[in-house]
Amino acid sequence: MYLTEIAGSASNELARGQRPLSGGTSQATDLSGVASFTFLTFPGTWEVKIFGGSLFTTFTDTFEITAGQANYEIYADLEPKGQRSSLPSNKYLNQQGRLVHIRVVGSKRGKEVPVPNAAIFDNSGSKIATTGANGAAVVKHKEAIGETVTLRAEPPATPGSEPEWQPGSASFIVGAVEKGLRTTRSEDYVTIVLGSSGQTSEKHPLDVTVRGMKNGKRMRIANASILDAEGHKLGTTDSLGQATVIVEVPLGETYSVKAEAKHWKPASETLQSGMMQSGVTPTYAHETVEFMLQPAQETCTLTVEVLDRTTDKPLSGATVTLYKPNKFPGTEIDRTSTNDAGEATFDAESLDRAMLNGAARIEATYTGHKPSVETVSENLTTGESPRYVVYLTEIQSIWSGTWRSLDYTMGVYGGGGSIGYKYRKDNGQDEGQGNCSVKGNVATCKWAGHWHDADKDINRQGTATMKISGDAIEIEQIEGNDSYDFHPPSLCQSDPAPCTEMHKGKIFTGTYIRKK
C-alpha cells in the first residue's frame, strides 16, 4: 500500500512523493482483508494506492485529511483480473465454522420488542434455529469469508388469530468489517426486524456513498443529490461523498434511489427494505448503498454572439458580463468584449461558478443600443460548441431641431445613420457646421468653422462627439489644425497657444438643450 500527498502546504515537502505507509514497512491484510497503519501526515488531499498483485487490479482513491483528524478508514473493492471462478483461492478450505448471532425483533410505531419462538431459515430454506425468550439465537455456519448470507425469520403462529408480526429477512457478509470499527469481529451478527401485521411501511435510514471513476481513478463526489423513484430529493452528500437519508418503504419490498451530481452521469440502485447491500454488518431496516458514477459530457466553453436586431450584423466591442443569478442581475463572475465577429467566449470554469439552480445570467451592452439581460439554462451550455445569441435593439433618438447652450444656437437636421448641424454664437464671433455618423444615441462628427474678433481671425476645424439623451445633447469638441491671422502680426502666429484657447488638442465641452 502506498500513500501520496497530491495537494497541501508548501512547507510539507517531506510529506510529498510516493512512499510506503508505516515508515517504509509493509503489512499484509488479515483474513478479513484489514490492515492498519500509523504514519505522519499533514492536512490536505491525499491519494492511496493498493497494488492487487497478479490476481487483482490496482485500487486508487483520494481523500481529504483535515487538521486534527486522528484516523481515516478506506474501504477498497479490488477487481479480479479475469473471471473470479478461474482464480486459485483457498477461501473454501479449512472452514471450521463460525458463529452467527441472530436477533429477531418486531417494530411497531418506532419501538422494537424481542420476538420469541421465531423460526430462522437459511439461504436454502432449511430451518436452522428458533429464537429464545429474548428473541435471540446463536448458530454455527460454514459459509466462506466474503459470502453474502440471507436469513429469514417467521413469527410464531397463533391458532385461530392473525400473527402479530410479518415475516422478514436480513443479510450479512461473512467476516465483513463492522461500520465504525477498525477490526473485524471473529463472529457474525445480524438483526432481523419484523413489521407488525397490517403495517405498510417503515421509516428507516439509508447510508449512501457516492463515488466517481475518472481517468482510472476513484474519487468521492460531494454535493451529489440523492433522489427517490419519484424524483423527490432525500439528501445531499458531504465532502466525503457520504449521506444518510430517511426512506419509507414497506418492509421486505424493493425500492430505488438515484444519485445525481454536476459533471457526472446519474445512476440508480434498487434495494430491498431491510436487506444489507454493501458489506457492513447490518441492523434490519438500515440499508447501505454505494454509487459509482461515470463522467458526463463536460460543459464546454460558451460563445455568446451579439447582433443588431435590425441589421442582424455583429456588434464588435459589445460588453458581455456573466453573472451568478443570486440577485438581479447577479454576482459578476466574468466580463469580456466581443470580437470583430460579435463573439464573446466564457470558459467552463466560469460557467460552473455562475450556475445556480440550473441557470446562469448574461448581460450584453453596446453604445447606442438598449442593454439586454438574459437567463441561460444549463442545458443550453452543454455540447461540443454551445452558442447563445443576444440581439440588441438600437436606440432611436430624435436629433433634428433647434438647441441652445449659453450664447450658442445649434440647428440639427437629418436622422437615422447620419445628421448635419450648424452652430452660431449670438454675437456672430463664432460659427460653423459639421457632419456626423450616428450609432444609437451617439454621433461622431467632423466640423469646420470661423472665429472673428478685433485681435484675430481663426479658420477652425476638428472632431466632435455628441450624445443625446431626451432633450439634451452633451458635446465634446476637439480642436484640430487651425489657421491663424493675428492683428497685428505677432509671435502668436507661430505659437498660438499662449494667445488663445483655440489651438490644436484643446477640448471644449458643453450641453445643448432642445428649444421648444
Side-chain angles (χ1 to χ4, degrees):
M1 298 175 67
Y2 286 86
L3 187 73
T4 305
E5 184 190 29
I6 59 177
S9 156
S11 64
N12 297 340
E13 292 297 336
L14 293 178
R16 286 196 173 91
Q18 193 177 71
R19 58 193 178 99
L21 292 173
S22 193
T25 63
S26 62
Q27 179 177 332
T29 55
D30 59 22
L31 290 177
S32 302
V34 176
S36 298
F37 295 87
T38 301
F39 58 95
L40 177 65
T41 186
F42 300 90
T45 302
W46 290 73
E47 179 183 276
V48 64
K49 182 173 288 187
I50 302 173
F51 295 96
S54 61
L55 301 182
F56 296 93
T57 59
T58 299
F59 172 89
T60 303
D61 197 5
T62 58
F63 60 96
E64 293 284 335
I65 292 181
T66 59
Q69 186 169 358
N71 59 72
Y72 201 93
E73 295 182 9
I74 294 292
Y75 298 90
D77 297 322
L78 301 186
E79 299 291 338
K81 293 180 178 178
Q83 297 296 321
R84 189 178 186 89
S85 58
S86 65
L87 296 177
S89 173
N90 66 348
K91 67 181 289 186
Y92 294 105
L93 301 180
N94 301 319
Q95 289 291 325
Q96 300 300 318
R98 292 169 57 92
L99 294 180
V100 56
H101 296 259
I102 306 168
R103 179 171 169 259
V104 180
V105 297
S107 176
K108 181 184 293 184
R109 289 186 286 274
K111 294 183 178 181
E112 294 183 353
V113 296
V115 178
N117 301 316
I120 310 298
F121 298 87
D122 64 12
N123 286 340
S124 64
S126 300
K127 183 177 178 180
I128 59 174
T130 301
T131 57
N134 60 353
V138 179
V139 296
K140 181 177 285 190
H141 69 88
K142 292 188 178 182
E143 298 290 347
I145 295 291
E147 290 294 314
T148 299
V149 179
T150 300
L151 300 181
R152 179 175 175 82
E154 292 188 358
T158 304
S161 63
E162 291 289 331
E164 183 180 2
W165 307 104
Q166 298 176 353
S169 60
S171 300
F172 66 96
I173 292 181
V174 179
V177 62
E178 187 172 15
K179 187 176 182 182
L181 300 180
R182 295 183 61 81
T183 58
T184 302
R185 292 178 175 179
S186 59
E187 299 175 353
D188 299 309
Y189 294 79
V190 63
T191 300
I192 305 174
V193 180
L194 309 184
S196 62
S197 295
Q199 183 177 359
T200 59
S201 63
E202 174 85 6
K203 284 186 177 181
H204 59 277
L206 169 65
D207 292 333
V208 182
T209 301
V210 181
R211 300 172 186 265
M213 179 67 75
K214 191 173 185 180
N215 298 327
K217 294 184 178 181
R218 300 187 186 200
M219 58 189 69
R220 290 169 172 80
I221 300 178
N223 299 317
S225 297
I226 310 303
L227 312 173
D228 63 15
E230 288 73 36
H232 302 133
K233 188 173 181 179
L234 303 176
T236 304
T237 57
D238 59 19
S239 60
L240 299 179
Q242 298 175 339
T244 297
V245 300
I246 301 299
V247 294
E248 185 172 2
V249 184
L251 296 174
E253 293 193 10
T254 59
Y255 64 98
S256 297
V257 288
K258 183 179 183 181
E260 292 182 346
K262 280 187 176 181
H263 311 306
W264 298 92
K265 294 179 181 179
S268 298
E269 293 287 346
T270 300
L271 302 90
Q272 184 175 355
S273 180
M275 297 286 287
M276 192 200 57
Q277 299 291 321
S278 66
V280 176
T281 301
T283 297
Y284 187 75
H286 188 156
E287 291 89 62
T288 302
V289 64
E290 180 171 331
F291 292 92
M292 183 64 68
L293 305 186
Q294 298 299 320
Q297 186 176 27
E298 293 288 344
T299 301
C300 302
T301 57
L302 172 66
T303 300
V304 179
E305 188 175 1
V306 184
L307 304 177
D308 182 275
R309 185 179 298 276
T310 302
T311 64
D312 209 36
K313 292 182 178 180
L315 297 178
S316 174
T319 300
V320 184
T321 307
L322 178 66
Y323 294 101
K324 182 175 184 177
N326 53 352
K327 54 184 178 180
F328 190 86
T331 299
E332 182 176 324
I333 300 298
D334 198 4
R335 177 182 294 190
T336 187
S337 298
T338 56
N339 56 21
D340 290 342
E343 298 174 344
T345 302
F346 298 99
D347 59 27
E349 180 182 357
S350 295
L351 275 176
D352 188 54
R353 290 170 52 207
M355 286 295 166
L356 180 64
N357 298 325
R361 192 166 285 146
I362 290 174
E363 179 182 40
T365 60
Y366 186 73
T367 301
H369 289 68
K370 295 179 181 179
S372 178
V373 179
E374 314 221 1
T375 300
V376 182
S377 174
E378 187 173 18
N379 61 8
L380 297 178
T381 66
T382 58
E384 293 185 3
S385 54
R387 300 176 68 86
Y388 191 84
V389 180
V390 178
Y391 288 94
L392 298 185
T393 302
E394 185 176 9
I395 298 173
Q396 298 296 327
S397 301
I398 302 176
W399 292 87
S400 60
T402 302
W403 305 76
R404 288 283 295 172
S405 177
L406 300 177
D407 56 348
Y408 277 83
T409 298
M410 179 174 66
V412 181
Y413 51 90
S418 63
I419 59 172
Y421 68 94
K422 293 182 178 181
Y423 68 90
R424 185 178 187 279
K425 190 176 174 67
D426 289 348
N427 61 8
Q429 283 184 327
D430 189 19
E431 58 183 342
Q433 62 280 324
N435 292 292
C436 316
S437 61
V438 177
K439 288 187 177 181
N441 64 336
V442 177
T444 303
C445 314
K446 291 183 178 181
W447 60 273
H450 183 81
W451 175 278
H452 169 78
D453 60 29
D455 300 321
K456 56 190 173 292
D457 282 275
I458 304 175
N459 291 319
R460 306 175 63 198
Q461 61 177 325
T463 61
T465 300
M466 295 193 292
K467 183 176 182 180
I468 186 172
S469 177
D471 291 331
I473 294 177
E474 295 179 0
I475 185 170
E476 180 181 88
Q477 184 171 289
I478 303 175
E479 203 81 15
N481 291 313
D482 298 344
S483 61
Y484 303 88
D485 184 13
F486 288 90
H487 316 296
S490 67
L491 294 177
C492 296
Q493 196 74 33
S494 58
D495 183 15
C499 305
T500 177
E501 289 187 331
M502 290 172 284
H503 57 80
K504 185 177 181 180
K506 177 65 178 180
I507 299 176
F508 297 93
T509 60
T511 301
Y512 281 85
I513 304 299
R514 188 188 303 273
K515 186 176 180 181
K516 298 182 179 180

